[in-house]
Amino acid sequence: MSYVGIARNAGTISTNIEKLIRSGEGSPGLSKRIGTTSTNITAFINGKASLGIAKALGTTTTNAQQLRDEIGREGAIGVIIGLACGMDAK
């Protein structure tokens, strides 16, 4: 599957979208786009919300963690892609 269009809208390259989906690995392009670190993205996918993710979501770390707990791994991937695609290019 090609992720070129999604990657373009998310401010990254398609291999980074593929890595996010397959291994839950955040990338510098995605992290820059949403204003956090690659480590924070990877941690969110793996189940741990951080202050950086909470800020990107416009909420508290506690609320971001509750969201992550509710939506699971696949939902967290969707949130990261959605945030990146929804951000204006910086």
Side-chain angles (χ1 to χ4, degrees):
M1 178 170 196
S2 176
Y3 299 109
V4 173
I6 294 167
R8 184 178 21 251
N9 287 334
T12 191
I13 59 175
S14 60
T15 56
N16 288 339
I17 298 295
E18 189 173 335
K19 280 183 190 177
L20 181 71
I21 293 168
R22 292 179 191 230
S23 66
E25 184 180 329
S27 68
L30 287 171
S31 62
K32 181 178 178 185
R33 184 72 166 214
I34 68 172
T36 191
T37 65
S38 300
T39 302
N40 285 343
I41 292 172
T42 301
F44 187 66
I45 302 304
N46 290 325
K48 177 81 170 128
S50 65
L51 180 59
I53 294 293
K55 283 183 177 182
L57 289 167
T59 192
T60 65
T61 305
T62 299
N63 287 341
Q65 185 63 55
Q66 289 174 342
L67 173 69
R68 172 56 185 89
D69 293 344
E70 288 289 324
I71 63 175
R73 182 182 186 280
E74 290 80 12
I77 291 167
V79 164
I80 297 300
I81 293 171
L83 281 171
C85 288
M87 296 285 185
D88 290 331
K90 296 179 181 174

